[in-house]
């Protein structure tokens, strides 16, 4: 819902301020790891993404997972990484932007695709270049890559007939954690596959 999206965005902004304060002191802001159900996270964050997409005249489609997918992660960090990937797709990709979540082996795969011209260089080069810059160009991808690494995952590119496909991979929580969290978080009825949420 809109209120959930606003709350998530406010907490993400507060975490960004903590990051800046910690970095100024040569530290890293603390993280709060818990069970995160990815369908629920997309549901909460999707409203903010829709506003950005609408402002840019871009169609956004969010495909929730077909079953509960639970990761052990800092919810705000994962939201931050996904927001960066979606913003990058909306602002630099264009066309239709699609966010899709699915399970692969023992992990969760979150794909953000767009209908634009594709990345201007290999992902590793863009991330490395962003880490050496003082301006903000490319920092969204670099931050998403760092967040993935801190959670035992990775940010990679996937094959796409057109545009870019960025993939955030995260390990799933243990079966015990996942079952417990899924009982409290599933099902969701507000997000419909293959159709933008309104």
């Amino acid at each position: 819902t809109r209120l959930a999206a606003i709350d998530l965005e406010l907490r993400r902004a507060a975490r960004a301020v903590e990051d800046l304060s910690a970095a100024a002191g040569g530290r890293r802001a603390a993280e709060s790891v818990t069970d995160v159900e990815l369908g629920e996270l997309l549901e909460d964050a999707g409203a903010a993404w829709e506003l950005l997409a609408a402002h840019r005249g871009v169609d956004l489609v969010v495909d929730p997972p077909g079953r509960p997918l639970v990761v052990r992660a800092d919810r705000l960090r994962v939201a931050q990484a996904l927001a960066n990937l979606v913003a990058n797709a909306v602002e630099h990709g264009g066309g239709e932007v699609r966010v899709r979540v699915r399970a692969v082996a023992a992990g969760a795969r979150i794909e953000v695709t767009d209908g634009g011209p594709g990345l201007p260089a290999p992902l590793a080069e863009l991330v490395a270049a962003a880490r050496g810059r003082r301006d903000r160009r490319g920092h969204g991808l670099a931050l998403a890559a760092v967040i993935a690494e801190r959670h035992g995952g990775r940010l990679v590119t996937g094959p796409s007939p057109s545009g870019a496909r960025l993939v955030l991979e995260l390990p799933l929580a243990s079966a015990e954690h996942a079952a417990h969290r899924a009982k409290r978080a599933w099902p969701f009825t507000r997000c419909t596959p293959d159709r933008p949420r309104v």
Side-chain angles (χ1 to χ4, degrees), residues 1 16 22 34 61 76 102 131 175 181:
T1 66
T34 185
V61 179
L76 293 180
R102 60 193 178 97
R131 287 174 175 168
R181 184 66 178 86

Side-chain angles (χ1 to χ4, degrees), residues 60-150:
L60 174 70
V61 179
V62 178
D63 292 333
R67 64 179 179 85
L69 295 179
V70 180
V71 297
R72 289 288 293 170
D74 184 312
R75 191 171 190 270
L76 293 180
R77 294 294 185 197
V78 175
Q80 188 177 27
L82 292 178
N84 287 346
L85 297 182
V86 171
N88 192 68
V90 168
E91 294 171 10
H92 304 293
E96 179 185 85
V97 172
R98 182 178 291 265
V99 183
R100 179 184 179 210
V101 185
R102 60 193 178 97
V104 288
R109 181 181 175 97
I110 310 167
E111 301 178 354
V112 180
T113 59
D114 64 62
L119 295 177
L123 179 61
E125 289 183 16
L126 295 174
V127 169
R131 287 174 175 168
R133 278 197 192 106
R134 290 186 179 275
D135 61 32
R136 302 300 299 168
R137 287 180 301 160
H139 277 230
L141 291 179
L143 181 57
V146 167
I147 290 171
E149 291 166 7
R150 287 183 186 171

Side-chain angles (χ1 to χ4, degrees), residues 15 19 28-33 73-74 77 146-147 150-151:
R15 181 59 60 86
D19 288 341
R28 192 170 87 186
E31 295 182 347
S32 177
V33 175
D74 184 312
R77 294 294 185 197
V146 167
I147 290 171
R150 287 183 186 171
H151 289 84

